[in-house]
Amino acid sequence: MNQTNNTVDLYNEIKNQTRLILTELLEAAHLQPHSIVVVGCSSSEVSNTKIGTHSDPEIGKIIFSVLHEELSKHQLYLAAQCCEHLNRALILEQEAAIHYGYEPVNAVPKLKAGGSFATSAYNGLIHPVAVEHIQAHAGIDIGDTLIGMHLKAVAVPFRPSIDHIGYAHVVCARTRPKFIGGERACYDKTLL
C-alpha cells in the first residue's frame, strides 16, 4: 500500500510540476496561436534513472496529457521530440506539419526507439505524423534531452520557478526575432 501511495504522490507531483513550468513559460513567451512548443522528455530521468535506461510509459502519458491539454487551450501545437534512436525526430499533429510545410517521414516511436513521451504523443494526437526538423517558438527540455536543434533563432533561456519535474532537470526556452541594423537601429520592445 505504501508503494502505491508513493507512486500516486509522484505522479501527482509530476502533473503539478509540468503544469506550473508550462504556465510560466507561456506567460514569458507570449506565443501567438498555432505556434509550436517543442518538448523533449526523458521519463527515465523523471523517475531518477539514467537517460535512456528505464522508459516509463505512465510518466510519458502523464506529461503528454498535461502538456497537450494546456497547449490545446491556447491553440498551440505540441511537438514531442523522440530519442536519439529516431534521430530526435518529432511527433506532431498533421495539421501543424501542413501549416508549416514540414515533410512527414515514416517513423513510429515506441518505448526503446523514440521513448515513452513521444510514444504517448503518437498515441494521443488525433492525426500524428513524424517529421525530422522543425523551428519551434518555445520549448521545454525535461531531463537534458537537447531540444535546441529544434528551436527558431534566436533562442532565449527561460528559468521557471522550479528546475525539475520528478527528478529530471528542466530547462526552458522562448525565441525572439533576430536583431538587425546595428547601433542606429530601433527595436520593437514587444518582440523582445
Side-chain angles (χ1 to χ4, degrees), residues 13-69:
E13 183 179 15
I14 289 167
K15 285 179 190 177
N16 294 335
Q17 291 168 332
T18 301
R19 188 169 281 111
L20 174 63
I21 288 170
L22 178 61
T23 299
E24 291 179 2
L25 174 62
L26 293 180
E27 287 174 5
H30 306 289
L31 300 174
Q32 298 298 312
H34 308 295
S35 294
I36 298 175
V37 177
V38 63
V39 177
C41 175
S42 168
S43 62
S44 299
E45 291 282 333
V46 173
S47 65
N48 201 25
T49 58
K50 183 181 173 192
I51 192 169
T53 62
H54 191 302
S55 196
D56 186 318
E58 190 60 30
I59 289 174
K61 285 179 196 172
I62 290 167
I63 293 173
F64 166 75
S65 295
V66 170
L67 294 172
H68 185 252
E69 177 185 335

Side-chain angles (χ1 to χ4, degrees), residues 75-110:
Q75 298 179 313
L76 300 171
Y77 295 123
L78 171 64
Q81 179 181 269
C82 297
C83 72
E84 82 244 35
H85 296 100
L86 291 183
N87 296 329
R88 304 213 188 284
L90 302 122
I91 306 302
L92 69 162
E93 284 288 2
Q94 181 180 39
E95 175 185 312
I98 291 169
H99 182 85
Y100 285 99
Y102 298 142
E103 184 71 27
V105 295
N106 190 355
V108 176
K110 57 184 184 175

Side-chain angles (χ1 to χ4, degrees), residues 107-125:
V108 176
K110 57 184 184 175
L111 287 185
K112 297 297 183 184
S116 67
F117 176 68
T119 301
S120 293
Y122 194 87
N123 293 328
L125 295 173

